[in-house]
Amino acid sequence: MATFPSTDATGTPRDLLLKVTPPRVPRHLVSRARLLTSAEALRDHAVFVVQAPSGFGKTSLLAQWRLEYLGRGMPVAWVSAQNHDDPGRLVQSLALALRVATGRPAFGRSVLEDDRPGNLGSATALLSELTQAALDVVLVIDEAERLPPASREALAYLLRNAPPNVRTLIATRPDGRLGIEDLVAYGQCVEIGPALLKFSLDETLQLVHARFGARVDRDMAARLHELTEGWPLGLQLAMTIISRGADAHAALSGTTATAGELQAELVRLLLVNLDPDDRDFLVRIAVLDLLHPDLCRAASGAEDAAARLTRLSNDTPVFAAAEGGDWLRMHALARDVLRQRFSALDAAEQVAVHARAAQWLAAHDLLDEAARHALSAGQHQAAYELAERSLYESLMRRGRQAAVLEWLAQMPAGELDRRPRLLLAVAWTLASSERHEEAGRFVGRILAQPGVSDALRCECALILGGAAVFADDPDRFVELHAPWTEAVPLTDPLLRQSHANRMAYRALLEGEPALARLRQQQALRGHPGQGIDYVRRWSELVIGLSYAWEGQVLLAEQLLRPAVAGAEAELGRRHRFSCNLAALLAAVAWERDLPGDAATLLADRLDVLEHSGLPESLLQAYRTAARIAAAEGAEHRALELLNALDAAGVARRLPRLRIASLAEQVRLHAQRHRAQTCRELCERIDAQLADPALPQGPLWRRSVEMLRDVARAHAAIAARDWPDALAQLARADEQARQCKQGGLHIELLGLRALALERCGQPSQALLREAIDLARAYGLQRVFSDAHPDLGAWVGTLAAESAQPEIVALPPAPAAPVPSVPRGAVLTPKEGEVLALLARNLSNKEIGRAMQAGETTIKWHVKNLFAKLDAGTRTQVVQRARILGLLGPEH
């Protein structure tokens, strides 16, 4: 057994006392619901192993768990492991930590006084004493990777033989394997890795709001989350830099020195203790998007690349696991700074690294990455050939439009004309963006080549149809699609699925949402090919749009939530498709009265939608964001967003969006009875619709005329011209029913009932029908969004129709005592102390749970006695319950 050079007054080694002292919880730590010990996934387990590289908040999570258990009155023993902790010393540390935590001076005496060499006998003695203690306790072991192999075996022995009254929390790095896979397999142990420790977007928003309040808005917080990828250390560092007084907008936009400071500081922190050879290795592999040991060996020339990757992934948080076996990827913040250092290397060395990477990637059929490195190595013809072989597949199977646009900017026009498959990739990419007009020119170049087949003509029609969708020209879309409705000369599963998506979208435009879903379902059954997941994702958008079109927001939400999560995981949060889906789900969440969800879905995405959003997605996003702002009392912000929608309509030459912006402004002003403003806005709508340059097709005209009629109805309501409002509402409702737009129909029913009521005519039957339909569809905000007077009337009717349940026996309980707002009686700290008092905790236990001194707790308890006029702790709790200061959970 090791000897200890110094002891305190009780004879306990001082270094042991230091290692059993727990850290304080950081001031701005946010408790994440999914990582609480009371969470469903963590509730009933005896062992928790938090395993991740440094910088993922392992110690902070253990400290948070410690406070949770202290709040339940359970003693928590904390041990920080060290390199020289042999089995005997480890067991002694645990015994001392338990003695301190339980407040029992005699606990573990036999273990602490044992001078025999370290073996499992002392571990058995500790387990025996824990069993006899008949006390629920929690053991925390931090930095377990420092333990030598023999001590890890002893720890595994303790875990396998721990009595039922013991829970164990362990933090370790990835190389700190504990050999308890059997406990994991049998469900006795939960492993928490980097993926769970990363902050979700909701958690980042909560953390940033707690730290900065309104100084950092949702968009900036979402940008911070994107920048750090939810990495806890990165978030903490970024918030520290912003708190120094830096311009948050500048820091997170990536365009100023502040953003560079963030990246440089982060990389300095990550790499400061690394060996120079390791830093050089990281610089050379930073140009690789995905990392494999063999690829890194080829690119860097380091024969020990595999060992270096393993060691660095354990010692630093630079790397994250990628999909598929041995593949890793480098954190974006670190990669960008390391690439700057790579650009400072000798030019010949840079070329050599790129050339070796291109050769390895091409040999392993990773052609798109090989093409990029070949181009950087100056091997232009080889790069163009690789791009031709890979870009079309990469676009159609994984939606990599950005890669296609990069090649378009770099490749000579003559090379494109010699490579028809590249022309197709470019045309597909341009068609589904704000540059949709350019797609027609590329399609012309394709069709001008000799030997054009019917299949290629059909594919070109699909491309031009997509361009028509992004141009918001439904009549042109139907015209292009018509020749290929019956005989479809396509054999490629990707193209057949794209054709099915177009068929469904055409049915939706023609006012048949149920038919759109049927066609999609038939296509999914008929085309079971592999590798078409990305194209099939578009079918989820069409089906979700069909449900939203009908007002069936419950069904839309059920489909779209997993679709958005899947798209974000596979493509990224700011991928154009993820943003299109999220815009639709945000509109659905708003209708379901989930404004927080809707705002989170739209955070830091409007700029993507402005350039590559479907017109309908762009409209839904801005309209939802404006309604959120108006509901929060920021009418100026709502009007600014609607003007931004109008500007987007101008920039992308989408006149329907301009008319929709004006119609939504009419709605907003009508809710405040601004009749003159509404009249002027309606005149602007009429002036725009009179422009002969606008599309004249029946489908497009029908959509904008419906917007005009609804706007006129709101203007009549604002002017309190109820007969005119009834006429305008009836006209708009007729069009909504013809198009099967169920949500709009229900809204117009409610407004018609309001107009009838103001005209002195029977109206309640119509309103109750509208309420019934809204309840069935899940539309919870439809009436309050239509007009505040209508929302208030619906609320009154709902209150009147709510009848108390009648029972014979037992007699109905007395009315509950109204709750007294805690803030009106108690301070926040007194409220926390009161909640812990209700759990029968002593002052010392309350102090541990709140990380405060016992004297401070006594002061709060004294104040509670005075405020509640109580003589005992029991009376304090009882009177707090009577006053409603404690809920039933206490």
Side-chain angles (χ1 to χ4, degrees), residues 753-797:
L754 178 65
L756 287 170
E757 190 268 341
R758 297 300 164 87
C759 289
Q761 299 180 35
S763 57
Q764 286 207 9
L766 186 62
L767 181 61
R768 291 189 186 279
E769 180 177 340
I771 293 171
D772 251 2
L773 288 170
R775 185 180 299 113
Y777 285 15
L779 295 164
Q780 298 184 15
R781 291 197 61 96
V782 61
F783 301 122
S784 56
D785 276 351
H787 198 279
D789 293 350
L790 177 60
W793 187 21
V794 169
T796 301
L797 286 179

Side-chain angles (χ1 to χ4, degrees), residues 12 53 107 186 209 223 246 405 563 792-793 841:
T12 303
F107 188 92
Y186 288 119
H209 181 73
R223 206 165 300 139
L405 292 175
W793 187 21
L841 301 189

Side-chain angles (χ1 to χ4, degrees), residues 174-175 281 293 304-315 319 328:
D175 56 339
F281 173 72
D304 62 342
R308 284 181 187 268
L309 276 177
T310 301
R311 176 165 47 79
L312 290 171
S313 64
N314 288 329
D315 294 345
F319 301 104
L328 299 171

Side-chain angles (χ1 to χ4, degrees), residues 340-360:
Q340 293 175 8
R341 298 188 183 185
F342 178 85
S343 64
L345 296 177
D346 180 73
E349 186 174 0
Q350 294 182 47
V351 168
V353 170
H354 283 297
R356 292 194 297 266
Q359 183 179 4
W360 189 95

Side-chain angles (χ1 to χ4, degrees), residues 113-136:
E113 294 177 355
D114 189 356
D115 58 357
R116 294 174 297 172
N119 55 37
L120 296 182
S122 57
T124 304
L126 179 63
L127 290 172
S128 176
E129 193 158 355
L130 279 170
T131 305
Q132 294 175 5
L135 179 68
D136 287 334

Side-chain angles (χ1 to χ4, degrees), residues 321-369:
E323 291 185 9
D326 298 329
W327 290 91
L328 299 171
R329 63 177 180 85
M330 193 175 290
H331 193 286
L333 279 173
R335 184 190 62 209
D336 292 345
V337 174
L338 290 172
R339 284 182 177 178
Q340 293 175 8
R341 298 188 183 185
F342 178 85
S343 64
L345 296 177
D346 180 73
E349 186 174 0
Q350 294 182 47
V351 168
V353 170
H354 283 297
R356 292 194 297 266
Q359 183 179 4
W360 189 95
L361 289 163
H364 290 80
D365 291 326
L366 300 169
L367 303 183
D368 47 353
E369 291 299 316

Side-chain angles (χ1 to χ4, degrees), residues 565-706:
E568 290 179 349
E570 182 177 340
L571 305 171
R573 188 177 183 274
R574 281 172 58 82
H575 188 277
R576 54 186 293 274
F577 178 75
S578 302
C579 293
N580 276 282
L581 266 183
L584 183 55
L585 179 56
V588 168
W590 174 254
E591 295 290 353
R592 298 275 295 119
D593 200 17
L594 300 170
D597 286 7
T600 299
L601 284 161
L602 295 177
D604 197 29
R605 276 174 161 153
L606 291 179
D607 61 321
V608 177
L609 291 166
E610 286 172 357
H611 297 291
S612 55
L614 288 165
E616 189 63 26
S617 299
L618 186 56
L619 169 57
Q620 296 284 3
Y622 270 105
R623 186 159 58 191
T624 302
R627 292 186 181 185
I628 292 171
E632 291 174 347
E635 185 182 359
H636 64 287
R637 172 64 176 156
L639 291 171
E640 178 191 15
L641 286 164
L642 293 176
N643 286 326
L645 174 61
D646 179 76
V650 172
R652 287 183 53 177
R653 294 183 294 281
L654 301 174
R656 182 170 68 97
L657 298 193
R658 302 196 65 195
I659 294 168
S661 168
L662 293 172
E664 189 67 15
Q665 291 180 56
V666 173
R667 173 197 296 262
L668 185 61
H669 289 295
Q671 293 178 351
R672 291 154 180 80
H673 297 286
R674 297 167 183 159
Q676 181 60 33
T677 302
C678 292
R679 190 178 303 112
E680 291 171 357
L681 290 168
C682 285
E683 290 172 356
R684 289 175 59 186
I685 293 175
D686 291 337
Q688 289 194 22
L689 286 176
D691 185 351
L694 293 185
Q696 300 300 318
L699 293 177
W700 190 88
R701 297 296 300 188
R702 183 177 67 183
S703 65
V704 295
E705 286 169 1
M706 189 184 311

Side-chain angles (χ1 to χ4, degrees), residues 19-65:
K19 67 183 296 183
V20 301
T21 301
R24 294 183 67 86
V25 174
R27 184 162 57 97
H28 296 292
L29 185 69
V30 171
S31 294
R32 296 184 273 173
R34 60 190 175 87
L35 290 178
L36 295 175
T37 57
S38 57
E40 185 67 29
L42 306 179
R43 186 181 304 155
D44 300 320
H45 298 275
V47 182
F48 301 87
V49 177
V50 185
Q51 193 164 35
S54 61
F56 276 87
K58 300 185 297 296
T59 300
S60 295
L61 180 59
L62 294 188
Q64 173 188 314
W65 283 349

